[in-house]
Amino acid sequence: MKLNERARFSTICIHAGQEPDPSTGAIITPIYQTSTYVQEALGQHKGYEYGRTQNPTRMALERNLAAIEAGVDGFAFASGMAAIDAILTRLESGDHVVVSDNTYGGTFRLFERVRRKFGLDFTYVDTSQLDLIEPAITPKTKYLFIETPTNPMLQITDLAAASEIAHRHNVRVVVDNTFASPYIQQPLLLGADIVTHSTTKFLNGHSDSVGGIVVVKHEDDVEWMRFVQNAAGAILGPMDSFLVLRGTKTLDVRMERTNRNGQAIAEFLDAHPKVKATIYPGLPSHPHHQLASRQMRGFGGLISFDTGSMDNARKVLGRVRLMALAESLGGVETLISHPASMTHASVPPERRAMLGITDGLVRVSVGIEDLDDLKDDLTQALE
C-alpha cells in the first residue's frame, strides 16, 4: 500500500501517511495511547522517546494532512487557535502582521488581547481588495495572514495575486483554510507559504474532536515548528489524531455532497421573501463569484443570510428543528448560529458593524442531510 507520485486527491486522503501496522497488519493506524516508550539502551530507541515529542498516531495524521495540502511537513496541535499561536512564535517583539479584516473572532482576540501585549503589531485590511495589501506592508511586516473565505461574510481573496504582492516585500503568506478545506482549495499550490486549519471542522467532519494543523513548505519553518511543538507542548492527542484520520478518509465524498447542498440552500434562501440578503460565493450576486469560480473547487457549505433584525434572527434560530443551534461548522450535520452573539462576540460592536456583521445575520454550516429535509426546516422556521 504505497502511493505513487501521480496519486489523485481522494486516494491521497485515504492512504497518505499511513501503512498497515507492522506488528499486526492492521489497516487502520492504531491509537497509540502511551506517554512514553521503552528504550533498548542509552541512546537506543525505535524513534520514539516521549509522548509530547513523538506519537505514531499523531505523526500519521501530520503526514496525511501535509500530503493533502501539498506541503513538506505538518504539525498537529490541540486546537486551531493553538496552531495559529504556534505560527506567531516565529515572530519577535516589534514585528508586524497584515491580517484579513473579517478574520475569525477568536483569531482577532488572540492577536489583539494576547499577542499585542508581547509587542506584535497587527493591521487589518480587506485582503479581497488587492490594492489595500501593499500600502499596509511596512519594513517590519513578516506575515500576510489571510482567511478566505472569511468568517462569516465569505469574502474571497485572490491567493496567487496576494502572495505575489507579499513575496515582493519578503513577507510570508499564511492562509487559514478552515472554511474551504483542502478539497476546495490548496493555498500552498497557489503561492502561500503556510496553511493552517482548525481540524475540528471539515477535516474531522464529525463534530467529535478539537484540533489544529499547520502545514509548511519551507525547511526553516519545518525546523521551527517541530521545535516549538515540542517546546510549548500544545500537541494533539492520539485519540483526536485517530478521529481526524478517520475524517480525512471521507473528506472527498463529504465535501462533494456539502458543495451540492450548500449551493441549493443558498439559492433557496436567495429567493425567499423573508430573507433580506444571502451571502454565498456560489451565487452570481456575490462580489467575488468569478474569482471563487476560478480559485475554488465548489463553493463550500457556509452560507450567511440577513433576516433584517435581531428579533427576526432570534425567531428563526428558535424555530429550527433539524438544524442545531451551535457554534462550529464542517460536520455532517447542519449547524446554524448567530455570529454577532456567538463566534464574533469578542469583536467590538462598532467593528462588527463596519464588517457587515449585523444583529440580523445568521450563519449556516450545511451538512449532508437530505436536501429537501433541510429546505423544509428553513421553510417552517422562516414562516
Side-chain angles (χ1 to χ4, degrees):
M1 293 176 58
K2 291 184 182 290
L3 290 177
N4 64 45
E5 295 179 355
R6 300 185 302 279
R8 278 77 169 180
F9 184 81
S10 60
T11 304
I12 290 171
C13 287
I14 294 168
H15 294 291
Q18 303 159 84
E19 293 183 1
D21 179 58
S23 60
T24 66
I27 196 168
I28 298 298
T29 302
I31 304 167
Y32 287 90
Q33 195 71 48
T34 183
S35 61
T36 192
Y37 307 86
V38 173
Q39 301 188 23
E40 298 169 3
L42 285 177
Q44 295 180 26
H45 51 76
K46 294 179 171 63
Y48 301 95
E49 301 168 80
Y50 185 58
R52 169 169 41 81
T53 311
Q54 309 106 345
N55 179 277
T57 316
R58 189 180 81 228
M59 291 174 69
L61 173 65
E62 291 169 337
R63 292 193 296 265
N64 179 256
L65 293 179
I68 290 172
E69 277 288 14
V72 170
D73 212 338
F75 303 89
F77 293 89
S79 69
M81 294 314 307
I84 292 173
D85 193 50
I87 294 170
L88 294 183
T89 62
R90 288 230 60 183
L91 307 183
E92 299 178 356
S93 180
D95 286 344
H96 175 250
V97 183
V98 178
V99 188
S100 297
D101 60 354
N102 180 215
T103 195
Y104 167 54
T107 303
F108 180 81
R109 178 176 56 217
L110 172 67
F111 289 0
E112 291 300 311
R113 299 187 61 183
V114 180
R115 282 298 174 173
R116 195 176 280 279
K117 288 173 59 178
F118 293 88
L120 297 185
D121 189 23
F122 303 91
T123 298
Y124 300 88
V125 300
D126 182 355
T127 55
S128 70
Q129 298 187 43
L130 295 174
D131 59 343
L132 298 181
I133 296 175
E134 196 155 30
I137 294 174
T138 76
K140 294 185 176 181
T141 305
K142 295 297 189 292
Y143 285 151
L144 170 61
F145 188 98
I146 297 171
E147 271 191 40
T148 182
T150 60
N151 178 12
M153 301 308 292
L154 303 173
Q155 294 173 316
I156 311 296
T157 295
D158 186 329
L159 289 176
S163 297
E164 184 179 349
I165 293 168
H167 292 159
R168 287 203 300 264
H169 298 271
N170 199 29
V171 171
R172 287 198 171 171
V173 178
V174 182
V175 177
D176 185 336
N177 200 29
T178 299
F179 257 43
S181 88
Y183 174 90
I184 287 177
Q185 67 187 11
Q186 294 168 296
L188 298 182
L189 297 181
L190 295 169
D193 302 287
I194 301 172
V195 64
T196 186
H197 290 262
S198 168
T199 60
T200 312
K201 313 306 194 297
F202 288 111
L203 291 174
N204 169 259
H206 294 80
S207 301
D208 57 8
S209 168
V210 173
I213 190 73
V214 178
V215 178
V216 300
K217 68 181 184 184
H218 301 295
E219 285 301 327
D220 58 333
D221 284 327
V222 170
E223 293 174 11
W224 177 257
M225 293 306 298
R226 182 174 292 121
F227 170 79
V228 80
Q229 184 188 45
N230 181 56
I235 56 167
L236 190 66
M239 183 64 192
D240 287 296
S241 298
F242 172 85
L243 291 171
V244 181
L245 269 175
R246 176 208 57 187
T248 60
K249 289 183 184 299
T250 61
L251 178 63
D252 185 280
V253 293
R254 284 188 291 106
M255 291 308 300
E256 184 179 352
R257 178 67 169 265
T258 298
N259 274 342
R260 290 204 308 269
N261 279 2
Q263 184 70 39
I265 293 296
E267 292 172 358
F268 167 83
L269 289 168
D270 194 43
H272 200 286
K274 295 286 185 71
V275 174
K276 183 179 176 182
T278 303
I279 305 168
Y280 185 70
L283 296 175
S285 58
H286 191 284
H288 309 134
H289 175 66
Q290 293 301 322
L291 170 61
S293 299
R294 296 194 309 270
Q295 182 169 280
M296 299 164 65
R297 183 186 176 196
F299 304 104
L302 277 299
I303 306 165
S304 293
F305 65 97
D306 199 331
T307 62
S309 70
M310 180 68 176
D311 188 52
N312 288 342
R314 184 179 287 111
K315 289 177 181 176
V316 170
L317 295 169
R319 284 183 58 87
V320 289
R321 296 293 177 264
L322 178 61
M323 298 181 180
L325 176 59
E327 296 202 18
S328 199
L329 58 107
V332 293
E333 65 287 311
T334 297
L335 302 180
I336 193 166
S337 66
H338 184 246
S341 65
M342 296 172 76
T343 58
H344 285 67
S346 61
V347 178
E350 63 276 10
R351 182 170 179 79
R352 290 201 303 266
M354 179 190 72
L355 295 171
I357 305 173
T358 67
D359 287 345
L361 193 73
V362 172
R363 192 193 76 186
V364 180
S365 171
V366 179
I368 63 173
E369 300 97 336
D370 186 278
L371 178 60
D372 288 334
D373 289 331
L374 295 175
K375 287 182 178 179
D376 287 348
D377 196 33
L378 282 171
T379 297
Q380 63 84 23
L382 286 164
E383 286 175 354

